[in-house]
Amino acid sequence: MSEFLIILQTGQLKIYFWLCRQALPGMLVAWPISIPLLIWLYFGWRRCLERNEMSSLRLLWLVPLIVLPLSMLFWGTLFYNPEKYSGNYDRNHIAFLQFIFHAIFLNAILAIGFNYGRNSFVVPFCLLALLLNFFCAFIAGSAVSGEWL
């Protein structure tokens, strides 16, 4: 919530939504991967509901998989480089995005490990989050560096 307040104060809400609009179509481009994962996620979710496992606190390991890709887009919004292909940007911002990118992979592995017995729900959720993570990292990195394809 505080991220949106910072974006509102800096007047860059339009850039944030533009970056979100750039990242989400990646899920449609990767439809041969995302559609089967969504189907697998749906059946895994139903199975966990039938077994009454959705109230487990271990599912909180899945929260960073949603929050961190949005935080990467937030970082790309704050340090947006309007100079295309100039090379004038702080490399530490890209390093921070790489750190978040790798932290999400580690979090997905730990979420799968700690949610043994709920893998029919957790594994497709993690794989979809990693796919979204890839597109958000690409868009945020392009926004910070100004080097778009």
Side-chain angles (χ1 to χ4, degrees):
M1 188 62 162
S2 64
E3 294 172 348
F4 285 110
L5 294 176
I6 293 171
I7 290 175
L8 283 174
Q9 288 178 350
T10 59
Q12 295 180 328
L13 189 63
K14 184 177 179 181
I15 293 172
Y16 182 78
F17 286 128
W18 179 71
L19 291 178
C20 288
R21 209 171 51 233
Q22 296 291 322
L24 290 179
M27 299 296 275
L28 296 175
V29 171
W31 68 267
I33 299 168
S34 60
I35 298 296
L37 285 176
L38 285 172
I39 293 170
W40 185 15
L41 180 67
Y42 172 73
F43 286 113
W45 174 69
R46 286 190 49 202
R47 184 170 179 226
C48 282
L49 281 178
E50 290 171 359
R51 294 175 18 188
N52 199 19
E53 293 180 339
M54 294 304 285
S55 61
S56 173
L57 290 177
R58 292 182 183 217
L59 289 175
L60 289 176
W61 280 94
L62 301 177
V63 173
L65 297 175
I66 298 298
V67 174
L68 288 177
L70 296 175
S71 297
M72 283 195 295
L73 291 177
F74 167 73
W75 197 262
T77 302
L78 280 184
F79 300 104
Y80 179 72
N81 184 7
E83 301 172 13
K84 307 271 192 258
Y85 306 106
S86 66
N88 297 329
Y89 61 92
D90 189 1
R91 305 276 192 277
N92 292 328
H93 299 311
I94 299 294
F96 183 72
L97 289 172
Q98 289 174 344
F99 173 75
I100 294 176
F101 183 74
H102 294 344
I104 291 174
F105 276 101
L106 179 64
N107 190 355
I109 291 169
L110 291 173
I112 292 170
F114 284 121
N115 282 292
Y116 183 76
R118 294 173 207 82
N119 286 343
S120 59
F121 174 71
V122 174
V123 171
F125 187 89
C126 289
L127 291 175
L128 281 169
L130 290 175
L131 188 63
L132 180 66
N133 175 35
F134 173 75
F135 293 116
C136 288
F138 178 75
I139 295 299
S142 296
V144 167
S145 68
E147 298 173 358
W148 297 90
L149 285 179

